[in-house]
Amino acid sequence: MSKKVTEIVEELAGPIVEELQLELVDVEYVKEGKDWFLRVFIDSETGIDIEECGLVSERLSEALDKADPIPHLYFLDVSSPGAERPLKKEQDFHKAIGKQVNIKTYEPLDGEKVFEGKLLAYDGSSVTVLMIIKTRKKEIIIPMEKVASARLAVTFE
């Protein structure tokens, strides 16, 4: 099979979530213990409810049965990415500008590997984060090739 399972599932799920005016946030295909899980994360501007997850799950399950891209048993899970949703696509980073983010890097930058603060900018090749360290404000520019993971961060003020 030349395409990865996640790519095939994205192609199958894309039109389904689009028709329902939802956003396909991410697709994961992972083995946990002896079981395989296909996780599809959806969202919308107003949030996601259980009925929308059920509808996407039902339609996607039918499409998966027809395409049959997975040769063994697996569990299909359709859900919201939650408040700390991952930032993976360019549009995710653009939407997150002005919001609190948590970014982890593959290697230390200025002696740190975890950066939490307000996302000020994203230009496709780097992100700029405003961090507050004690009473000091510090802007840090992180090259995208050094970003291991990025997500929205929930803060309690």
Side-chain angles (χ1 to χ4, degrees):
M1 185 181 297
S2 60
K3 284 189 177 178
K4 292 183 354 186
V5 168
T6 54
E7 291 172 347
I8 294 167
V9 174
E10 283 178 11
E11 288 174 7
L12 293 171
I16 295 167
V17 297
E18 206 171 282
E19 181 185 322
L20 297 170
Q21 297 179 337
L22 303 172
E23 175 191 357
L24 179 61
V25 175
D26 197 14
V27 174
E28 290 180 353
Y29 182 59
V30 294
K31 187 173 186 180
E32 294 177 2
K34 62 180 178 54
D35 297 319
W36 283 91
F37 291 87
L38 176 59
R39 294 191 177 107
V40 177
F41 298 97
I42 58 174
D43 207 355
S44 77
E45 292 295 322
T46 57
I48 293 296
D49 62 29
I50 192 95
E51 287 82 20
E52 290 165 318
C53 291
L55 193 54
V56 171
S57 179
E58 196 175 290
R59 291 186 183 179
L60 181 56
S61 185
E62 289 173 12
L64 286 165
D65 287 348
K66 285 181 189 167
D68 200 21
I70 303 171
H72 49 270
L73 294 175
Y74 62 93
F75 294 95
L76 174 62
D77 177 24
V78 177
S79 64
S80 162
E84 293 190 335
R85 72 178 274 173
L87 305 176
K88 294 193 171 193
K89 303 172 191 157
E90 282 200 20
Q91 69 185 31
D92 297 337
F93 285 93
H94 286 296
K95 281 185 186 176
I97 291 173
K99 296 180 181 172
Q100 289 294 117
V101 295
N102 177 289
I103 297 178
K104 294 180 182 173
T105 57
Y106 291 111
E107 56 192 46
L109 293 173
D110 290 345
E112 299 293 329
K113 287 180 75 173
V114 178
F115 303 90
E116 192 156 303
K118 184 186 284 189
L119 182 62
L120 295 179
Y122 169 75
D123 66 9
S125 62
S126 66
V127 292
T128 304
V129 178
L130 175 64
M131 298 173 47
I132 298 175
I133 304 160
K134 295 186 181 173
T135 58
R136 267 189 20 212
K137 289 183 178 184
K138 178 181 179 182
E139 282 185 25
I140 184 148
I141 298 171
I142 305 167
M144 288 306 293
E145 68 266 9
K146 300 215 189 267
V147 174
S149 68
R151 63 175 172 75
L152 290 179
V154 175
T155 55
F156 300 96
E157 296 175 17

